[in-house]
Amino acid sequence: MKIVPYLYFNGTCEEAFNFYQSILGGELSEIMRYKDQSSQELPSELGERILHAELTVGDILLYFSDTPDSELYHPGDNIQLNLNFDSEEEINKVFKAFENGANVTMPLQDTFWNAVYGTLIDKFGVSWSFNYMRG
């Protein structure tokens, strides 16, 4: 399992990851925009925003995203810890353990990026996302 910080922004994600890369170096990859997902019709202002981007600096991986709804963005609280799993069995076990006293904001489910994914805020108020990439 790998823990990855996930940083959220309100329309400034691309500017932020370019800023961090200019200071920290590293390689930027996996840039997906909201318009690139074909599963939903989106408001036009959301299309160019970043759905997901990754910055690798040495052994450190950082995830970035613009929130789809400005009401979900809270400066200072805009970080989530992401857990990447090696098996579906492991993600199910860990998610179930975290559910105790948590606010499940997205139950584990299949996604358009070929993963099992879910999110919750644990009983201590920490935001977590859970991801298992299939094949």
Side-chain angles (χ1 to χ4, degrees), residues 10 67-74:
N10 189 23
T67 58
D69 180 346
S70 62
E71 291 184 20
L72 299 174
Y73 176 76
H74 306 281

Side-chain angles (χ1 to χ4, degrees), residues 102-127:
N103 174 20
V104 176
T105 50
M106 181 180 175
L108 287 179
Q109 58 192 265
D110 292 327
T111 66
F112 70 90
W113 64 88
N114 198 31
V116 176
Y117 182 82
T119 62
L120 58 77
I121 299 170
D122 72 17
K123 62 184 175 183
F124 301 105
V126 177
S127 181

Side-chain angles (χ1 to χ4, degrees), residues 1-2 4 6 52 54 63 81-88 90-92 95 108-111 113-119 128-134:
M1 176 184 350
K2 183 182 231 181
V4 181
Y6 213 133
H52 179 79
E54 298 179 6
Y63 288 168
L81 296 175
N82 182 76
L83 297 173
N84 286 328
F85 293 89
D86 295 327
S87 73
E88 195 161 351
E90 185 181 23
I91 192 173
N92 287 320
F95 192 87
L108 287 179
Q109 58 192 265
D110 292 327
T111 66
W113 64 88
N114 198 31
V116 176
Y117 182 82
T119 62
W128 296 86
S129 61
F130 302 76
N131 190 70
Y132 165 63
M133 295 297 296
R134 290 196 167 106

